[in-house]
């Protein structure tokens, strides 16, 4: 396979720049493979060894398959292979084994553990706060009031704002001299706060900004609340259960799978936090907002240490997998699934019959 890539690369070098030929060569091989597969498929259809409908199915999903292999499988494979090399894009790759991983884990990269600490701090502050606030908002939006759909739209729309536009907006809001927040504090005779320029305030500031996008989780919570059986709620009211008891004993257990879903997605997203930190603080002040992915980006595109950046990406992948597995491990203690309870009841009844 490597010799085939090298041969195609040499052919492409005759009329393309070297680096461009190096990048295009794998895609040329993929195109050849797809053309061969298409030719084989047409031949099998003509010889009636496969049905025309089967061939049509694979032909229609082929664009998605091409995109999946080109933009997902190939980059992932290329990344894990590159993580074992020292490479700056320009020079030839040099195999270094696990040196990139050792460099990170040994703390030789001064920002590795710092960025991991910042990311964890942000995650444990942001995710629970987002869950609580979005859950409370969804409860308010679940009321049967006139015009409630308008307020649902209002709360959801901010979550559609892109990261760059959102970061630019909040940069002005947090501005020390003429920002909206400090202007409001000044009207009450309070001193201005260095929201993004203070090492102790930068992470809380980003957490506050993150509340702007709670609309996405709110919509998911709202869908779950509307799926809570009303007959169960009415039966609880008849039995004399108050609002708090119904919320604690019925709503929370019924909503636990939705809470679990948003919790997992929230932590995965928080571990990959990048855009806002890159645009608003660029890791400052003094590395107080140097998030893990921001450090990864700097290593790849500022210092051109592509191999080391790929190693950082795979370390992050392992951390996210481990953390997600930990959440799944203990989810059985607090996540309620009605189908599981029913299946257990069936097993008990079956045992009694025996």
């Amino acid at each position: 396979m490597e010799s085939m890539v090298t041969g195609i690369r040499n052919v492409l070098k005759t009329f393309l720049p070297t680096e461009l030929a190096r990048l295009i060569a794998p895609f040329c091989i993929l195109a050849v493979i797809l053309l061969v597969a298409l030719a084989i498929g047409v031949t099998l259809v003509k010889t009636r060894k496969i049905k025309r409908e089967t061939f049509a199915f694979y032909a229609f999903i082929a664009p998605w398959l091409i995109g999946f292999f080109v933009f997902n499988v190939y980059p992932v494979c290329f990344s894990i292979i590159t993580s074992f090399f020292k490479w700056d894009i320009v020079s030839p790759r040099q195999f270094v084994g696990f040196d990139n991983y050792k460099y990170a884990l040994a703390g030789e990269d001064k920002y590795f553990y710092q960025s991991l600490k910042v990311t964890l701090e942000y995650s444990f502050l942001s995710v629970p706060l987002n869950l609580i606030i979005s859950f409370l908002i969804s409860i308010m939006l679940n009321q049967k009031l006139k015009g409630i759909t308008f307020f649902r739209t209002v709360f959801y729309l901010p979550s559609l704002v892109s990261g760059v536009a959102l970061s630019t907006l909040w940069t002005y809001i947090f501005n020390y001299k003429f920002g909206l927040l400090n202007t409001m504090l000044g009207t009450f005779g309070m001193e201005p706060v260095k929201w993004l320029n203070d090492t102790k305030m930068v992470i809380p500031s980003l957490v506050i900004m993150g509340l702007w996008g709670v609309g996405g989780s709110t919509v998911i919570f709202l869908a779950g609340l509307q799926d809570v059986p009303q007959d169960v709620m009415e039966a609880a009211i008849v039995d004399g259960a108050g609002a708090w008891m119904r919320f604690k004993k019925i709503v929370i257990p019924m909503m636990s799978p939705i809470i679990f879903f948003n919790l997992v997605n929230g932590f995965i997203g928080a571990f990959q936090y990048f855009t806002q930190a890159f645009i608003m603080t660029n890791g400052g002040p003094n590395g107080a907002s140097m998030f893990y992915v921001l450090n990864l980006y700097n290593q790849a595109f500022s210092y051109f240490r592509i191999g080391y950046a790929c190693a950082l990406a795979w370390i992050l992948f392992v951390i996210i997998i481990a953390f997600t597995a930990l959440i799944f491990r203990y989810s059985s203690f607090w996540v309620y699934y009605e189908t599981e309870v029913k299946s257990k009841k069936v097993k008990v009844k079956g045992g009694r019959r025996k």
Side-chain angles (χ1 to χ4, degrees), residues 96-304:
V96 294
F98 288 94
D99 286 356
N100 288 326
Y101 294 92
K102 292 177 182 177
Y103 183 83
L105 298 175
E108 296 182 41
D109 175 8
K110 64 178 181 178
Y111 286 122
F112 176 74
Y113 286 107
Q114 169 66 13
S115 63
L116 194 57
K117 175 188 173 184
V118 169
T119 303
L120 288 172
E121 180 183 352
Y122 174 82
S123 300
F124 283 103
L125 282 174
S126 175
V127 175
L129 187 61
N130 272 269
L131 285 177
I132 293 170
I133 292 179
S134 59
F135 191 34
L136 294 177
I137 293 174
S138 66
I139 292 173
M140 291 188 293
L141 296 179
N142 193 39
Q143 308 304 314
K144 295 180 180 180
L145 301 173
K146 186 177 181 181
I148 194 67
T149 53
F150 169 77
F151 290 100
R152 291 173 182 171
T153 305
V154 168
F155 275 97
Y156 177 68
L157 282 178
S159 65
L160 300 179
V161 180
S162 66
V164 176
L166 179 66
S167 302
T168 305
L169 171 65
W170 279 89
T171 299
Y172 285 104
I173 294 175
F174 284 134
N175 189 275
Y176 177 72
K177 294 182 179 180
F178 53 83
L180 178 62
L181 284 179
N182 282 340
T183 301
M184 292 175 62
L185 292 176
T187 58
F188 294 100
M190 301 173 66
E191 293 293 325
V193 178
K194 295 181 179 179
W195 299 99
L196 301 177
N197 298 317
D198 188 344
T199 55
K200 294 181 179 180
M201 286 300 301
V202 63
I203 295 300
S205 299
L206 294 175
V207 171
I208 292 171
M209 185 187 68
L211 298 177
W212 176 276
V214 297
S217 300
T218 300
V219 170
I220 297 174
F221 277 131
L222 182 60
L225 287 171
Q226 293 181 347
D227 198 41
V228 174
Q230 290 302 310
D231 55 344
V232 177
M233 298 291 286
E234 292 170 359
I237 294 173
V238 171
D239 290 339
W244 170 248
M245 189 59 64
R246 294 197 303 272
F247 179 76
K248 180 181 176 181
K249 297 295 184 179
I250 299 176
V251 176
I252 292 294
M254 289 285 188
M255 290 293 294
S256 59
I258 311 296
I259 296 172
F260 173 66
F261 173 80
N262 282 331
L263 178 67
V264 172
N265 281 345
F267 271 109
I268 292 174
F271 273 109
Q272 300 176 70
Y273 194 82
F274 169 72
T275 305
Q276 292 84 344
F278 176 68
I279 293 175
M280 299 176 69
T281 64
N282 199 24
N286 298 324
S289 63
M290 179 60 72
F291 286 83
Y292 191 97
V293 178
L294 180 58
N295 181 41
L296 189 157
Y297 174 87
N298 288 336
Q299 295 293 338
F301 301 106
S302 295
Y303 311 133
F304 296 101

Side-chain angles (χ1 to χ4, degrees), residues 39-115:
I40 292 173
V42 172
T43 303
L44 292 175
V45 169
K46 289 182 177 180
T47 55
R48 296 185 179 180
K49 291 186 178 180
I50 63 171
K51 294 181 178 180
R52 186 180 296 274
E53 292 80 2
T54 305
F55 176 75
F57 165 75
Y58 286 108
F60 276 111
I61 68 169
W64 180 88
L65 287 175
I66 294 171
F68 176 73
F69 281 101
V70 171
F71 297 110
N72 290 277
V73 176
Y74 172 71
V76 166
C77 297
F78 182 81
S79 172
I80 194 170
I81 292 171
T82 305
S83 68
F84 297 103
F85 287 83
K86 180 181 179 181
W87 188 40
D88 61 359
I89 299 179
V90 179
S91 306
R93 290 187 297 178
Q94 179 184 350
F95 182 75
V96 294
F98 288 94
D99 286 356
N100 288 326
Y101 294 92
K102 292 177 182 177
Y103 183 83
L105 298 175
E108 296 182 41
D109 175 8
K110 64 178 181 178
Y111 286 122
F112 176 74
Y113 286 107
Q114 169 66 13
S115 63

